[in-house]
Amino acid sequence: MVSVEDYGEFETAWCPGCGNFALRKAVKQALAGLDLAPHQVCFVSGIGQAAKAPHYIRCNAFNGLHGRSLPPAQGAKLANPEMVVISESGDGCQYGEGGNHFLAAMRRNVDITMLTHDNQIYGLTKGQASPTTMQGHKTKAQPFGAPSTAFNAVAAAVSMGASFVARGFVGEQDHLADLIQQAINHKGFALVDIFQPCVSFNKVNTFAWYKEHTYKLEDHDPTDWNQAMQKAMEFGEQKIPIGVLYKNTERTPFSDHLPTTGGEPLARRKADKEALRKVMLSYGGEVVARTSS
């Protein structure tokens, strides 16, 4: 039986009170609740304070370039279908630098989970506006207010028909852990956008702000696209719903389209030399066995 202690305790570089701590607890709770051992899980991240999360949990991990967590995460899953693969980074990394990868991943529908730490700011670069910073939000880095309209990631995901779309809040840990478990169990690309306050560089979207502005979805049918789109558009000064917004149960995971990506991990498969020889011969000429001299 797996417990949260199996995922270890590590010293972090996060500020005291950072929402990343509660998010990490929810992640551990979700993984232990699914009885997943650390060797069965692989986290892939980009750059930023949120992207350090896999450094502080005992499991397989790949820390890549800024905004580039999704390509290696999809590659890892296709190479090893038995592995639970989670892409975890911040809103700037996932929706800014990695924005095009985010769109491509939803279109492709590889069976991975994407966890986005959404604190509506670039914390590592001291308070620059991120894609989800609300228009007019003032910080030391933008004293005249953020000039651009905020990117609504869950609305974009629902509009594209992503196969699983949810939003959570670190102030509701059990609820968040349940969303992460549902996302992992879902077959196909699953997004969980997670509100987690940056206590150092975002003095607007604080823990109290999220507490006041969020509510849990009830009597909501996540398979109804129109309902989901309506809920996804509730944002700004309105109450913001948390929970599973959308499930597209009709989409097929990417690997089901390609027989070579299913089954056991690539590392355990044997090469079919006869099939390779036939492919080579199909281009003409002859295949000569290579021998050492």
Side-chain angles (χ1 to χ4, degrees), residues 162-176:
S163 61
F164 182 97
V165 184
R167 174 181 274 142
F169 167 44
V170 296
E172 299 286 352
Q173 187 177 319
D174 291 343
H175 182 256
L176 175 58

Side-chain angles (χ1 to χ4, degrees), residues 26 34-35 48 68 107 134 174 182 195 201 207 212 226 281 288:
L34 291 172
D35 206 25
R68 304 294 185 263
R107 184 171 61 87
M134 291 189 293
D174 291 343
Q182 290 189 60
F195 287 147
F201 298 106
F207 186 92
E212 178 184 350
N226 289 310
L281 288 174
V288 178

